[in-house]
Structures are given as C-alpha cells and as structure tokens.
Amino acid sequence: MNHFITLKDISAADLRKIVNEAKKIKYKRKKFNTLDVDKDTPLKGKLLVQMYEKSSLRTRLSFYLAIKQLGGETITLRANELHLEKGGESLADTARILSTYCDGFMLRTDSDKKIEEFSKYLTIPIINGLSPSSHPTQVLSDIFTVEEIKKKPVSKLNICWIGDSNNVLNSLIAASVKFSFKLSIGCPKNYEPKKFILDWVKKNKGKILIYNDAQKAAKDADVIFSDKVISLNDRVNKSKKIKDFKNFKINSEIMSFAKDDVTFLHCLPRGTEVSSEVFLGKNSKVWLQALNRVHVQKSILLYCFGKLG
C-alpha cells in the first residue's frame, strides 16, 4: 500500500516507474474506448471512494474511467453529505469507516491538514486529487505528456512556467527536482514561489530560475506551462491580481521567444492568462494533456494498490 499525497514524498525511482507504466498502459489500449475493461483486470474487486470538497471535471472523470478500466469500481461522495466533523463524527472515525468499506480513497480538498490527518488514520491508500499546496496527479500526467510529445526524457528539456505561484506550480517544482529538469518561472515580483519551497529546491540541488519578465522566462523553452491566474484557492482582490499579471499573458509574441517547436500546455480551465490564438493554436496540446490523465491515473492507482510491475 502506498499513499500518493505530494511528489516531494515519493522517490524519483517510483515516480519514473509510474510514468513508464502509464506509457505501457496507453500503448496496450490502442483505441480509447471509455468503459472497455483491460484484459488482465488488475483491480477487479477493488472499490475507490472519491470525495470532492472542490469543483472538478478532469480529475473526477479521469479517476472514474481509470478504476473502471482496471476492473474496479468507484463511488463519489460529497463532504456535505457525510457526518464528517460538522455532523458530529470525527475525521479519525470517518477514516476508519472508509478503511472498512473500501480499498482506496481519493480526496480533493481545501485543506492540506485534512489530507495529513486522513493519512494517519486510514489503513488504505489516500490519493491527493488536489489540495491548496499541490496537485500531484495533474503534474505527473503532464510529465508523461511532455515526454510523449517530445519523444525524449523531460530531463533533456527546458521547461517554462508563466503564471501564478499556485499548487500546480508547487508540484511542477517538485517534479523538476525528482526528474532533474531545468525549470524557468515567469511571474510578477510579488507572486514568486515561497521561500521554504525554494529552500527545499536548493537543498535538493534543483535547477530553477525565476524571472519577473515573461519573455525572458520563455527564452529557448521546449514547453510552456500555464494555469488560471485566479485559481480555485484564491481569496484575493481579483481585479488587482489580473492587472498585476497583464504583462504575463501568453500570446504569440511571448511564444516567439521559445523554440520553434515549443509545446503549450495548460491544466484547465483556462482564463485570461492565455490568448485564444495560442490556446487553440498548432503548438497547443491541451486536449491530449487532459486525456492523458486517465492513463497516468491508472498507473497511480496500481502504485497505490501495490500492483505496479
């Protein structure tokens, strides 16, 4: 049994194993027929419970299809439908019930502390489907997508992020250390990654460069990542924040500073941080990126259930 909470907590060897297994999984299926079950049904008889405290489209659908294709089943719960905390049942007791009834638990939450607490009391694996500080399933899938498109290890590529320092970037920073790739970050001065994150990168000999200029960040990039400027976790003056990022909108001019074959990726949903010309252009692979989450979720589930080859 393995938890999947943050990329920082998982060894580089295991993360590489998950990505490589996802490549095999995708190759084996040939055609993406949504509910066709894999022949070996490795998770037959397994039940994954998913709980969403925040809105979700891609994470919800990809985990649903992933467990179904592996031969298992899933049920989705809403936090406000449970007795959890507000209804008089402690988180520890909820965890014990989940451990009794099911085989795995996927939580999308507005509280990092909640994931940590659940992990203490669960005797089944927990998967972080998104938390305020990280989005590990998204970013691991993004690594898979980058390597599929570029046909080379991500360690040999220049990766760029232009946008806010949010949970997705935190996981991308962790991935840059685990997979040993150069990461250039373009963001306004007051929106740089927190010091403790940069200290962790330095301690682990990561290769990160921070620019307060989008064009400099994009220079010679093989891949440019972005996300919504106003994210799910934001409780800020939205109009001010959008104004602060006005020079960081990813358009054709910024893309021109990257390599000619640069790939644009965005974890969705999109906002004003990218022009439609770029988002819908020939260098954008956002739809492939979204679909690939199913294949990587399958590999993550096999890892959590101790079934990874």
Side-chain angles (χ1 to χ4, degrees):
M1 180 194 91
N2 297 297
H3 293 316
F4 193 90
I5 299 174
T6 72
L7 299 184
K8 288 165 67 174
D9 295 338
I10 303 171
S11 72
D14 281 346
L15 291 173
R16 172 49 66 190
K17 208 179 284 186
I18 294 169
V19 170
N20 288 348
E21 183 64 24
K23 292 176 183 178
K24 295 176 189 173
I25 286 169
K26 183 170 184 178
Y27 178 77
K28 280 180 189 175
R29 277 189 80 86
K30 305 292 185 184
K31 292 183 179 179
F32 187 81
N33 295 321
T34 53
L35 289 178
D36 281 1
V37 178
D38 294 346
K39 290 178 182 177
D40 53 351
T41 60
L43 295 188
K44 184 178 181 180
K46 300 292 186 183
L47 174 64
L48 174 71
V49 167
Q50 302 183 63
M51 190 168 84
Y52 291 88
E53 296 181 324
K54 302 183 78 66
S55 56
S56 172
L57 175 62
R58 283 150 294 277
T59 301
R60 187 189 304 261
L61 288 175
S62 57
F63 268 108
Y64 177 86
L65 291 176
I67 190 75
K68 288 279 191 177
Q69 289 180 7
L70 290 168
E73 294 290 337
T74 186
I75 183 171
T76 299
L77 303 174
R78 294 180 184 173
N80 62 4
E81 294 173 339
L82 308 183
H83 297 292
L84 181 60
E85 294 182 329
K86 291 180 182 178
E89 183 166 80
S90 69
L91 186 148
D93 286 354
T94 299
R96 292 180 182 108
I97 291 296
L98 288 168
S99 298
T100 303
Y101 276 77
C102 63
D103 304 287
F105 181 49
M106 200 291 304
L107 177 62
R108 188 177 181 97
T109 181
D110 54 8
S111 168
D112 290 299
K113 185 180 177 184
K114 196 171 287 184
I115 287 188
E116 291 171 17
E117 286 294 304
F118 265 118
S119 69
K120 288 178 188 175
Y121 298 106
L122 287 167
T123 56
I124 57 174
I126 183 170
I127 299 170
N128 179 359
L130 178 144
S131 69
S133 71
S134 66
H135 198 355
T137 62
Q138 172 69 55
V139 168
L140 196 62
S141 179
D142 291 343
I143 300 302
F144 171 93
T145 300
V146 166
E147 293 192 341
E148 179 182 38
I149 293 167
K150 298 300 184 182
K151 295 180 170 50
K152 62 176 68 173
V154 69
S155 60
K156 297 184 181 301
L157 300 168
N158 293 330
I159 307 298
C160 170
W161 170 278
I162 297 175
D164 194 15
S165 295
N166 60 11
N167 50 2
V168 181
L169 177 58
N170 290 344
S171 289
L172 188 63
I173 288 171
S176 76
V177 171
K178 297 291 182 174
F179 289 92
S180 300
F181 61 82
K182 178 186 168 187
L183 175 61
S184 298
I185 299 169
C187 62
K189 180 70 176 172
N190 294 333
Y191 296 89
E192 294 179 2
K194 290 183 170 60
K195 184 179 182 298
F196 76 88
I197 294 173
L198 298 179
D199 287 344
W200 179 84
V201 172
K202 189 175 180 180
K203 181 182 175 184
N204 289 277
K205 301 177 182 177
K207 296 173 280 187
I208 289 184
L209 299 169
I210 298 175
Y211 301 93
N212 302 132
D213 183 313
Q215 294 178 355
K216 288 180 180 177
K219 186 172 173 55
D220 294 327
D222 292 290
V223 182
I224 294 179
F225 280 95
S226 191
D227 190 8
K228 286 188 77 172
V229 168
I230 306 297
S231 68
L232 286 174
N233 302 310
D234 268 355
R235 294 176 180 84
V236 297
N237 182 326
K238 295 180 181 179
S239 58
K240 180 184 183 303
K241 188 173 184 183
I242 289 171
K243 186 178 178 181
D244 290 343
F245 276 87
K246 68 178 181 180
N247 294 326
F248 292 82
K249 181 168 184 171
I250 302 169
N251 51 31
S252 297
E253 184 182 2
I254 287 176
M255 293 287 281
S256 71
F257 285 83
K259 292 180 180 175
D260 290 341
D261 65 345
V262 63
T263 297
F264 175 76
L265 296 176
H266 193 296
C267 59
L268 302 172
R270 63 167 155 153
T272 58
E273 67 287 328
V274 56
S275 69
S276 289
E277 185 182 8
V278 170
F279 187 84
L280 300 173
K282 62 183 177 65
N283 295 84
S284 176
K285 301 296 180 185
V286 296
W287 311 122
L288 173 66
Q289 178 187 7
L291 182 60
N292 275 344
R293 293 203 58 195
V294 178
H295 307 297
V296 178
Q297 272 18 341
K298 289 170 75 172
S299 193
I300 289 169
L301 287 168
L302 292 174
Y303 166 77
C304 290
F305 287 117
K307 300 273 189 178
L308 204 60

